[in-house]
Amino acid sequence: MKIEIGSDFPKYFKPSYPEEFELFHHFEVTAGIPTVLFAVTTWKENGKPNVCFHSWSCFHGDKTAFFAVMGNLYQHTHSYKNIQREKCFGINFLPISSYDRLVDTIHHNELDDNEFDVGGFTLYDGKKIHAPMIREAFVNMECTLKDIQDLSGSGITAMIIGQVMHVLVEKEYAQGYDKRYGKDGFMMLVPAPQNLVTGDPNQSAIATLNIEKYD
């Protein structure tokens, strides 16, 4: 038997924090689909570096180009405004050992905050774009802005599409599966899976990858 959840908010769903369902659609915790976590880096209008801890994205392309498709970027954020202005952004993949430092940048993200200093990250200038990049990341992607779409048309979030122009990979992560997958590799956000029977909330989780099979 399958439990069916419609587009109308289920009144028996309990939020895990007061504003949860003001920020996120209930389908997010209904499906609980994991996505990779990373840091988006840009320059603020006052020249301070900005870090945005982000998920809700995918990466793909064809033989002519490769794209970073970032969903659910809030339009009120520094990152959204910075990307609009600078027409570029950095993507930086860090291991789960950096999680707490990345969360610190969420809590100290005012215009005058140097968010690289807040997180204890080393800054280097992008090779192909005008954006700050995190040296401690094991994979860095430098992206130019391709498109911005407000999918819901509500002015709340936007989907940012960036064209990847340059990729840097730490040598110890650049030799197959070792390091890149596991506790030192990509970290994933697991949206809090709602109990679809009782409506009770769960905590979000942070996961790492475990290779089960080679195809």
Side-chain angles (χ1 to χ4, degrees):
M1 182 183 77
K2 292 186 178 179
I3 295 173
E4 299 184 33
I5 305 294
S7 58
D8 291 335
F9 178 73
K11 290 185 169 42
Y12 73 100
F13 271 27
K14 304 177 187 73
S16 60
Y17 50 92
E19 66 273 21
E20 179 178 14
F21 295 116
E22 295 297 321
L23 294 172
F24 300 104
H25 196 278
H26 64 273
F27 280 164
E28 174 154 345
V29 294
T30 298
I33 301 168
T35 51
V36 67
L37 278 159
F38 53 90
V40 181
T41 48
T42 53
W43 292 112
K44 298 178 186 179
E45 61 187 64
N46 62 0
K48 296 288 181 70
N50 188 72
V51 177
C52 175
F53 198 17
H54 190 69
S55 191
W56 308 285
S57 301
C58 60
F59 302 84
H60 54 81
D62 56 33
K63 69 177 183 178
T64 68
F66 190 71
F67 300 97
V69 182
M70 303 193 305
N72 208 51
L73 187 65
Y74 281 90
Q75 295 184 30
H76 70 269
T77 62
H78 294 305
S79 293
Y80 179 77
K81 294 170 185 173
N82 298 341
I83 291 169
Q84 280 189 312
R85 184 182 62 256
E86 300 290 341
K87 309 299 183 188
C88 63
F89 56 92
I91 288 178
N92 308 264
F93 295 96
L94 294 114
I96 197 168
S97 58
S98 298
Y99 178 83
D100 290 339
R101 293 191 289 155
L102 288 163
V103 170
D104 286 342
T105 69
I106 297 173
H107 298 304
H108 300 87
N109 66 351
E110 298 299 326
L111 183 63
D112 288 331
D113 287 327
N114 181 324
E115 296 179 37
F116 274 65
D117 286 348
V118 169
F121 300 120
T122 305
L123 185 153
Y124 76 89
D125 292 323
K127 308 288 186 181
K128 302 293 184 181
I129 61 171
H130 179 60
M133 306 296 293
I134 297 176
R135 191 168 298 281
E136 289 81 4
F138 60 85
V139 174
N140 305 92
M141 291 181 173
E142 300 181 9
C143 305
T144 56
L145 177 61
K146 180 74 172 177
D147 194 18
I148 298 177
Q149 295 185 39
D150 182 342
L151 295 179
S152 71
S154 61
I156 300 173
T157 64
M159 180 180 71
I160 306 289
I161 302 174
Q163 184 167 346
V164 180
M165 307 305 293
H166 201 62
V167 178
L168 296 91
V169 183
E170 282 290 343
K171 186 175 181 180
E172 61 180 331
Y173 285 81
Q175 302 174 67
Y177 288 91
D178 292 345
K179 298 285 285 184
R180 204 181 303 195
Y181 312 99
K183 66 181 179 62
D184 294 322
F186 295 105
M187 58 176 156
M188 311 290 291
L189 171 66
V190 182
Q194 204 83 6
N195 186 319
L196 302 184
V197 176
T198 67
D200 289 332
N202 277 301
Q203 288 181 287
S204 293
I206 309 301
T208 55
L209 293 168
N210 181 47
I211 299 297
E212 299 288 351
K213 185 177 181 179
Y214 297 97
D215 184 13

